[in-house]
Amino acid sequence: MKQSKRGVQGLTVVGSVALDTIKTPYGQVERALGGSAVYFSCAARFFTQVRLVGVVGDDFLNQHVALLEKLGIDLTGLERVKGKTFHWKGRYTDNLNEAITEKTELNVFANFVPKLLKQHVESQYLFLANIHPKIQYQVLQDVARPKWIACDTMNFWIQSARKDLLQVLKHVDISLMNDSEIKMFTGEHQIAKAVKALMKLGPKIVIVKRGEYGAWCFCGKKYYAMPAVLLSELKDPTGAGDSFAGGFLGYLAKSGKTSAETVKDAAVYGTVVASFNVQSFSLDRLALLTQRELIKRRSDYLKSIL
Ligand code: AMP
């Protein structure tokens, strides 16, 4: 990584931009807008300028581009190439905490080499959203040292690209994984031990996502339990982790602070934004979400926890 002098305000995210086919007990969608970088951006936009780096194929609809632009997301880093957009097909049973992957078609991501522009290279905050760890590592080679680097991943990459992921984690400040992933990755079956093992590999902040049970937020020696917002209606948990990450890192980028208290406040925002996302399929709810609704639900949530 190159040394940065001051850095560019805002947040750069590199990750999947997808067409998702999803079935939950409450409905289904075919080739709907999704992807880790997309959910992340739509959540983080409430806090700071978000710049998305990714690739789509010629089947990616102009209306998806128009929506993301309308939401204020900087798409100068979104490449469009010949071929098909990344496609994920998944389903959920009554256990909404676990997605069952039926198909992962990398398509244009198979040969993707991110081309970072000055504003990405010098970004103060970087999110390596869920995508092949090799792509995440390539980005790390090109950026100037940001203030915070956060990284997400999933079982698919833990199993198929473990070595690359280990390389990435060495340079990362914040790691987000769900509880079964961190256990699988570290080989530890108790969360506290798994977090300790993960911290030894690089990250000093670890977020353990626990679906409807919320998240554990470990910050050095301190830790916080964040219950999820209790919802009267949930439709599709896809993107919950990414939108949590968007609210979380977006808030950190906005505040510019690095204290454990700020990390805790950021996790509250992550929890609250994610709760909106799971109330609809695709980006339907997040795209309509207003700052006012976000603030109101945050205040109700804070009253609901001890
Ligand atoms: P989440 O529910 O927050 O873990 O993320 C859901 C999003 O991740 C979906 O929109 C998918 O398109 C995307 N996704 C699924 N599998 C992968 C993968 N192997 N690499 C990158 N993105 C993926």
Side-chain angles (χ1 to χ4, degrees), residues 52-276:
L52 188 157
V53 176
V55 65
V56 293
D58 33 32
D59 55 351
F60 196 72
L61 301 179
N62 288 336
Q63 76 191 54
H64 296 328
V65 174
L67 174 70
L68 298 174
E69 274 173 347
K70 192 176 128 208
L71 297 178
I73 296 153
D74 178 343
L75 297 181
T76 46
L78 181 68
E79 256 188 85
R80 190 190 277 266
V81 300
K82 255 194 172 325
K84 281 191 171 174
T85 301
F86 177 95
H87 176 231
W88 179 70
K89 184 173 180 193
R91 67 182 166 88
Y92 300 81
T93 59
D94 286 331
N95 173 11
L96 293 168
N97 288 337
E98 214 150 313
I100 301 164
T101 293
E102 292 188 342
K103 250 187 224 170
T104 301
E105 296 169 339
L106 292 181
N107 297 331
V108 292
F109 264 106
N111 299 312
F112 178 56
V113 181
K115 294 179 197 69
L116 303 188
L117 304 168
K118 189 172 187 293
Q119 62 269 33
H120 307 124
V121 170
E122 293 180 4
S123 189
Q124 281 192 350
Y125 294 82
L126 174 67
F127 186 58
L128 303 169
N130 184 22
I131 195 61
H132 199 307
K134 263 204 173 102
I135 299 181
Q136 296 179 322
Y137 192 65
Q138 265 158 11
V139 172
L140 287 175
Q141 306 289 296
D142 290 344
V143 292
R145 177 70 178 119
K147 197 160 171 182
W148 289 104
I149 303 173
C151 158
D152 192 11
T153 192
M154 71 182 288
N155 49 8
F156 186 84
W157 303 118
I158 291 173
Q159 284 161 333
S160 64
R162 187 184 169 78
K163 265 196 185 156
D164 299 306
L165 186 56
L166 279 166
Q167 273 299 107
V168 171
L169 284 169
K170 276 188 203 160
H171 304 278
V172 159
D173 305 290
I174 306 169
S175 163
L176 297 101
M177 287 192 198
N178 72 31
D179 52 3
S180 61
E181 288 160 0
I182 191 173
K183 288 174 185 170
M184 176 197 277
F185 182 66
T186 59
E188 295 286 357
H189 298 287
Q190 297 174 22
I191 289 293
K193 287 187 177 170
V195 169
K196 209 169 162 188
L198 183 56
M199 282 184 172
K200 275 198 185 138
L201 300 173
K204 36 190 187 296
I205 296 174
V206 173
I207 306 288
V208 183
K209 299 172 284 179
R210 303 172 62 234
E212 67 174 316
Y213 306 111
W216 279 107
C217 177
F218 294 83
C219 189
K221 290 209 158 60
K222 295 190 173 168
Y223 59 92
Y224 308 101
M226 297 274 156
V229 175
L230 187 64
L231 296 167
S232 51
E233 200 183 24
L234 188 153
K235 286 211 169 117
D236 174 18
T238 307
D242 305 311
S243 49
F244 176 99
F248 178 75
L249 204 62
Y251 181 79
L252 287 180
K254 181 183 174 184
S255 74
K257 298 186 193 141
T258 56
S259 67
E261 269 307 298
T262 312
V263 170
K264 185 165 109 182
D265 292 342
V268 168
Y269 274 105
T271 302
V272 175
V273 187
S275 75
F276 284 99

